[in-house]
Amino acid sequence: MVNINRQWIVGEGTLNDIQTSQIENMNGIARGSQSILVRKTKSFAKKIDRVDMMYELFQVHRNFMKQDKNKTTPSMKEDIQDTPLNWVDFLKPHYQT
């Protein structure tokens, strides 16, 4: 890393509120849980579209399904949903009539 450029984009706060440690923590969690982000082995994704899709599924799991010790998800803490999402409901097609 050569330089850190801090720029406030959304919400209220100051530049001193911006911490890269949270981003580095999430990067470490992503690398630890997704083998396609680690090295070129059998699980290595050769196409960037597949990496994007895998990371989107990872984000759904982290934000809407994975519960902390208080049985809440990040989306529940932000009042986006009342209960955790599960894979069955996520993968089940919902048709609008």
Side-chain angles (χ1 to χ4, degrees), residues 50-67:
R50 293 197 182 159
V51 174
D52 288 342
M53 286 187 279
M54 288 295 296
Y55 196 76
E56 287 175 7
L57 286 174
F58 167 74
Q59 288 178 313
V60 167
H61 177 260
R62 283 286 295 177
N63 293 322
F64 296 96
M65 297 178 184
K66 185 173 176 162
Q67 300 174 32

Side-chain angles (χ1 to χ4, degrees), residues 27-91:
N27 287 341
I29 292 169
R31 282 192 306 271
S33 65
Q34 298 182 50
S35 58
I36 60 170
L37 299 176
V38 178
R39 58 184 152 153
K40 296 181 180 183
T41 62
K42 288 182 180 180
S43 61
F44 177 71
K46 295 179 180 168
K47 298 186 181 198
I48 193 69
D49 292 343
R50 293 197 182 159
V51 174
D52 288 342
M53 286 187 279
M54 288 295 296
Y55 196 76
E56 287 175 7
L57 286 174
F58 167 74
Q59 288 178 313
V60 167
H61 177 260
R62 283 286 295 177
N63 293 322
F64 296 96
M65 297 178 184
K66 185 173 176 162
Q67 300 174 32
D68 62 14
K69 62 184 176 186
N70 297 322
K71 303 289 185 190
T72 58
T73 64
S75 61
M76 291 168 67
K77 291 176 185 175
E78 296 292 328
D79 292 325
I80 296 172
Q81 65 183 33
D82 296 328
T83 59
L85 187 64
N86 61 51
W87 283 112
V88 173
D89 291 336
F90 176 71
L91 295 173

